[in-house]
Amino acid sequence: MTHPRGRRLRRLAAIGAVAIAAALLTAPVSGAAQAAEGNTIPGVDEIVSSPNLKQVAHRDKIGPFANSTNSDWAFQGKYAFSGNYNGFTVYDISNPKAPYEATQVVCPGSQNDVSVSGNLLFLGTDSQRTDDSCTSSGSTTEKPGARWEGIKIFDIRDPLNPQYLKSVKTDCGSHTQTLVPGKRGDPNVYLYISSYNLSTVDLPNCALPHDKISIIQVPKRNPQAAKVVATPVVFPDGGYGGDGEEKSATTGCHDITVYAEKDIAAGACMGDGVLFDISKRTAPKVITTVRDTVNFSFWHSATFNNAGTKVVFTDELGGGGLATCNERFGPKLGADAVYDIVGKRKLVFRSYFKIPRTNADTENCVAHNGSLIPVPGRDIMVQAWYQGGISVWDFTDSRRPKEIAYWERGPISLTEEIGGGSWSAYWYNGYIYSNDIAKGIDVLDLRDPRTNIAKLFRTDEFNAQTQDNYFRW
């Protein structure tokens, strides 16, 4: 059956999913993911993994993107849209074991986060450019009002020939973006634009205090009319003030994940974790906030479980450039934090999770982008850890999360610090797709009795920050 809006989910015909799920979830498991054996640091570019997670494909970055940073993913049908600081690549993944570059669109501007919805692709720019074209250059001399950053909108009715339609300028640009489906009968989709100013002074086009998000309304039938319709201040009290050192102050949000069916969103807002009510799409309201001034330094991203009763927040200690997966930082710094949503939608801390392997001190490694794996009755997600690789972990028991699979590529260098590793690792239609900052893309096959049921589920469209109910037929 086709989902009425958002990510459209369908079941393979004649599959008794509930019965199969029950059988698989009670099947014997031959040991854990053997993560404890991962304390031996692999050699340069050496690939190591647990027995249940294997690489089935790799593609190097090519052409104008060969020496530029890969970023986030979005998926639609047989295509994967890979963000890159120089634009985006459209991969044909009709055969996940043999993906190939269908086309590349050169359009510079970090981070170039991507989202897709129907015939539209949204590309986020968080670096000041001379103008909104795809031939612009980095701007350092233009007057502040003339500098551009924000969202670019492309028509992808023909994914092999995307057409640039429209730009929307936003304050502070668009570090990340979240696609928000409209409610029933609403002819629009919305983008929640997260951006921030960590400086102590006003920046061009980003005056302090920047305690707001920008909301773009996009008429699905007339995307040329897209515009900013609201800039709600979500931290009227200024949020967390930081400690002047490692603990970041709150100034806007870094990333927001929505669960539209439940009218809630989770915001990772640098110094605060936030739960929003988004029943009115253009006026999100803060329900509750949480802080961790002991172990969290930079609230980076958020993931709901499928039931919408838990949130996993990540801490990007060091901004993605620090080696935190070692004995110096231990198991609680640069980690995930699992929160239950209890009572009148309050966030209650339950545990931390961090990959249990020691990385080299030259490897940037910290919690980063991931997504749920659709397993009925379980809370399991896959997650990128930069050069720490890719981890599959189970947080069904909020107090005792555990890793069940891992895959990693050895350090880029054992003698000097070079940034790289998996930026985003997401589950899409039976496989894990990793966008590696430096190396290109990797496709992984997870084969485990605890997760095999997930291979039966299909979605026509996937944006990691736009969650939906996997099991609503």
Side-chain angles (χ1 to χ4, degrees):
M1 181 169 111
T2 300
H3 196 286
R5 69 177 189 275
R7 289 190 294 149
R8 300 180 297 279
L9 303 168
R10 61 186 187 274
R11 182 175 57 178
L12 294 182
I15 295 292
V18 175
I20 292 175
L24 291 177
L25 290 173
T26 57
V29 178
S30 57
Q34 300 179 1
E37 297 180 6
N39 287 332
T40 299
I41 297 171
V44 171
D45 286 341
E46 177 188 1
I47 290 175
V48 296
S49 71
S50 56
N52 53 353
L53 186 58
K54 299 297 182 183
Q55 181 188 45
V56 294
H58 172 78
R59 295 287 293 182
D60 288 336
K61 294 185 295 180
I62 63 172
F65 300 164
N67 297 311
S68 187
T69 298
N70 272 349
S71 56
D72 213 354
W73 284 112
F75 299 84
Q76 188 179 82
K78 68 175 185 178
Y79 296 105
F81 300 86
S82 164
N84 179 284
Y85 278 42
N86 260 348
F88 63 94
T89 299
V90 183
Y91 288 94
D92 187 314
I93 56 171
S94 51
N95 180 358
K97 296 182 179 180
Y100 64 90
E101 296 82 358
T103 193
Q104 290 183 317
V105 176
V106 176
C107 197
S110 66
Q111 300 181 132
N112 275 342
D113 273 6
V114 288
S115 297
V116 292
S117 178
N119 296 328
L120 302 176
L121 178 145
F122 305 99
L123 193 68
T125 301
D126 189 35
S127 56
Q128 294 177 30
R129 312 295 298 179
T130 50
D131 56 59
D132 65 351
S133 73
C134 284
T135 57
S136 67
S137 58
S139 175
T140 56
T141 58
E142 294 287 334
K143 294 180 179 179
R147 304 177 192 186
W148 185 89
E149 51 188 336
I151 289 288
K152 300 184 180 83
I153 304 174
F154 290 80
D155 186 321
I156 54 169
R157 276 176 290 188
D158 179 1
L160 305 186
N161 188 29
Q163 298 295 309
Y164 185 14
L165 294 179
K166 163 82 173 178
S167 74
V168 181
K169 185 176 182 178
T170 58
D171 288 348
C172 269
S174 175
H175 191 72
T176 63
Q177 51 166 300
T178 304
L179 181 78
V180 188
K183 296 176 76 70
R184 186 180 298 276
D186 187 340
N188 306 290
V189 294
Y190 300 87
L191 295 175
Y192 288 177
I193 306 301
S194 297
S195 57
Y196 54 88
N197 178 1
L198 291 179
S199 172
T200 57
V201 298
D202 291 346
L203 295 177
N205 304 323
C206 194
L208 291 173
H210 185 74
D211 292 324
K212 62 185 179 182
I213 62 173
S214 296
I215 300 177
I216 297 175
Q217 181 186 75
V218 185
K220 287 181 282 189
R221 294 184 179 180
N222 183 22
Q224 296 278 11
K227 61 183 179 180
V228 175
V229 293
T231 54
V233 175
V234 294
F235 298 102
D237 65 350
Y240 178 55
D243 66 357
E245 296 179 359
E246 289 185 348
K247 304 296 187 291
S248 176
T250 298
T251 165
C253 289
H254 180 276
D255 213 339
I256 296 172
T257 295
V258 300
Y259 200 146
E261 181 180 305
K262 296 183 180 295
D263 285 334
I264 56 175
C269 302
M270 288 156 285
D272 291 273
V274 184
L275 193 64
F276 294 99
D277 181 324
I278 60 166
S279 52
K280 184 175 181 181
R281 298 294 192 251
T282 57
K285 296 181 179 180
V286 174
I287 300 170
T288 188
T289 62
V290 288
R291 292 174 185 166
D292 180 346
T293 59
V294 176
N295 292 311
F296 258 46
S297 294
F298 189 92
W299 297 66
H300 176 275
S301 53
T303 302
F304 289 101
N305 68 337
N306 192 68
T309 58
K310 302 176 185 178
V311 183
V312 174
F313 288 104
T314 68
D315 174 20
E316 196 186 36
L317 170 64
L322 193 62
T324 77
C325 300
N326 51 31
E327 293 181 358
R328 174 190 170 194
F329 287 94
K332 296 181 180 180
L333 302 178
D336 296 316
V338 181
Y339 284 78
D340 284 350
I341 302 174
V342 301
K344 295 183 179 180
R345 297 194 292 186
K346 298 297 183 182
L347 291 166
V348 177
F349 171 79
R350 297 303 190 202
S351 64
Y352 296 106
F353 171 79
K354 192 172 182 180
I355 58 172
R357 287 167 302 288
T358 300
N359 276 203
D361 291 339
T362 55
E363 294 181 275
N364 59 309
C365 176
V366 74
H368 213 236
N369 295 343
S371 72
L372 283 185
I373 298 176
V375 179
R378 309 291 296 181
D379 299 326
I380 298 175
M381 68 178 291
V382 58
Q383 186 175 2
W385 290 78
Y386 290 116
Q387 287 192 71
I390 296 162
S391 177
V392 178
W393 60 288
D394 187 324
F395 61 102
T396 306
D397 183 342
S398 301
R399 291 179 172 83
R400 296 176 180 82
K402 60 182 179 180
E403 183 175 78
I404 64 173
Y406 74 93
W407 180 93
E408 71 169 303
R409 180 181 280 113
I412 296 174
S413 172
L414 285 168
T415 58
E416 58 180 319
E417 296 178 8
I418 301 175
S422 180
W423 179 294
S424 297
Y426 299 144
W427 177 274
Y428 180 69
N429 289 351
Y431 290 87
I432 293 168
Y433 294 85
S434 169
N435 217 10
D436 188 290
I437 291 171
K439 300 292 187 179
I441 70 166
D442 296 294
V443 185
L444 308 179
D445 187 10
L446 176 64
R447 294 184 176 272
D448 188 289
R450 293 162 289 194
T451 59
N452 285 341
I453 184 67
K455 290 182 175 292
L456 302 178
F457 291 86
R458 292 293 181 268
T459 174
D460 296 330
E461 194 169 274
F462 179 76
N463 300 288
Q465 290 76 35
T466 309
Q467 290 192 228
D468 209 340
N469 188 344
Y470 273 114
F471 311 120
R472 179 172 177 267
W473 304 111

